[in-house]
Amino acid sequence: MSEPIVVGIDGSEESDRAVRWAAAEAVLRERPLHIVHVLESWPYKAPAFMPAETTERMTRVGHRLLTATRERVKEQWPALKVTTALVAEEIPQALHAQSDKAFELVLGSRGRGGFASMLLGSTSLRMAARPTVPVVIVHGDAADRGEVVVGIDLLRDVGPVLDYAFEAAALRDARLRVLHAWQTLGIIDAGLAIDAEQIELDLRTEVTETYQPLRTRYPRVDVVDEIILEHPVTALSNASANARVLVVGAHQRHWTAPQLGSIAHGVIHHAQCPVAVIPST
């Protein structure tokens, strides 16, 4: 398996956590690790306003950061193949280019320097919204115990999302929770009667049928499904409290009914565990 796990770093505590998660993931999946540090490209595009010694200093600092990070990784995982790259480019373009042939891209939830706007800014949101490979956002210290949780949207193709989730659960010998949230859009408030129990039963049947083919491929994975009458972001964020990783699709703008904004973006902001955002095929 030649496609690496790519992780973006900036020297912050959050990016250090992302490196640890990415390195453990690379070992688990028997893949190499590629560590990337992005220099803001604007100094190189405005030489009249930026002294040469400043850009040289930024470059030296970037190389030292990459070297130190690589050494820490090799101390803990000496057999892991680790490469590094220092890139002077716009951040989204650099991350896309470095991860284009990767298995997945791992980022910290926040950062400084080149990653100053992650994840609350536009750069990281664009990375999660339009990924070409799975993008994993690491929140805090990732747990080494607990479930893998996957949120599915029955109105969309969830094949890639379930594939990633089942494999993640199998590799970690963890239980997989398949979660689907739905809402009534004010039907109850409007005084209209609905059979919530029947709706839940029908949805559970559909959810089970959706992931059933993967039960054959991953017979050792313990799977539970959960149907919740709740906003998807709330349901998934709550489930993340006891999860090792939370898996969602990149373009989940609708579940059983239209929602305001992006489900994936809301989950990224509120989850309490690493979030894997899976691109559509």
Side-chain angles (χ1 to χ4, degrees):
M1 296 183 180
S2 59
E3 300 89 349
I5 306 295
V6 176
V7 58
I9 67 168
D10 63 4
S12 67
E13 184 177 352
E14 287 76 10
S15 78
D16 288 345
R17 292 189 180 109
V19 169
R20 292 194 295 270
W21 192 93
E25 174 86 340
V27 171
L28 192 64
R29 294 183 179 273
E30 299 182 344
R31 295 179 178 275
L33 178 69
H34 185 55
I35 307 172
V36 178
H37 177 61
V38 182
L39 296 176
E40 290 282 9
S41 62
W42 62 266
Y44 299 90
K45 294 180 179 179
F49 303 98
M50 181 60 65
E53 58 268 22
T54 300
T55 59
E56 292 173 1
R57 179 178 58 81
M58 292 171 61
T59 300
R60 290 195 301 270
V61 170
H63 281 301
R64 286 199 297 268
L65 174 61
L66 286 169
T67 299
T69 302
R70 183 183 185 279
E71 289 176 352
R72 287 198 302 272
V73 170
K74 293 295 286 185
E75 286 177 2
Q76 186 166 359
W77 296 279
L80 178 62
K81 180 180 178 181
V82 182
T83 57
T84 64
L86 181 68
V87 184
E89 194 177 1
E90 298 298 329
I91 296 173
Q93 288 84 343
L95 293 177
H96 276 301
Q98 291 292 314
S99 63
D100 184 53
K101 303 298 183 181
F103 173 77
E104 68 186 359
L105 171 65
V106 182
L107 302 170
S109 59
R110 290 180 182 151
R112 65 187 181 206
F115 293 89
S117 59
M118 220 175 272
L119 252 172
L120 303 180
S122 61
T123 297
S124 55
L125 291 179
R126 287 199 301 269
M127 296 303 299
R130 297 179 179 84
T132 56
V133 299
V135 175
V136 180
I137 309 302
V138 179
H139 289 265
D141 291 317
D144 58 3
R145 300 180 65 182
E147 303 176 323
V148 172
V149 177
V150 57
I152 65 170
D153 176 357
L154 295 174
L155 299 181
R156 294 185 179 273
D157 176 15
V158 295
V161 177
L162 286 173
D163 286 341
Y164 184 99
F166 266 86
E167 184 178 21
L171 288 171
R172 292 166 171 80
D173 193 24
R175 181 170 64 180
L176 176 62
R177 181 173 300 275
V178 182
L179 189 152
H180 176 74
W182 64 287
Q183 291 185 293
T184 61
L185 288 179
I187 292 176
I188 295 177
D189 294 338
L192 301 178
I194 64 168
D195 189 343
E197 291 186 2
Q198 185 60 49
I199 291 175
E200 179 180 344
L201 180 62
D202 293 342
L203 287 173
R204 189 177 300 278
T205 298
E206 190 172 352
V207 167
T208 303
E209 291 174 349
T210 299
Y211 69 73
Q212 194 61 40
L214 288 162
R215 295 297 300 272
T216 302
R217 287 171 48 190
Y218 298 95
R220 295 183 178 274
V221 174
D222 178 21
V223 184
V224 296
D225 49 58
E226 186 172 9
I227 312 300
I228 301 180
L229 177 58
E230 197 169 40
H231 191 285
V233 172
T234 301
L236 290 169
S237 298
N238 289 340
S240 74
N242 299 311
R244 296 167 75 169
V245 62
L246 171 61
V247 186
V248 296
H251 303 294
Q252 294 183 359
R253 299 181 183 278
H254 303 277
W255 285 51
T256 54
Q259 303 294 332
L260 294 176
S262 165
I263 301 303
H265 289 175
V267 169
I268 286 171
H269 283 291
H270 298 290
Q272 302 175 56
C273 71
V275 179
V277 184
I278 312 303
S280 302
T281 55

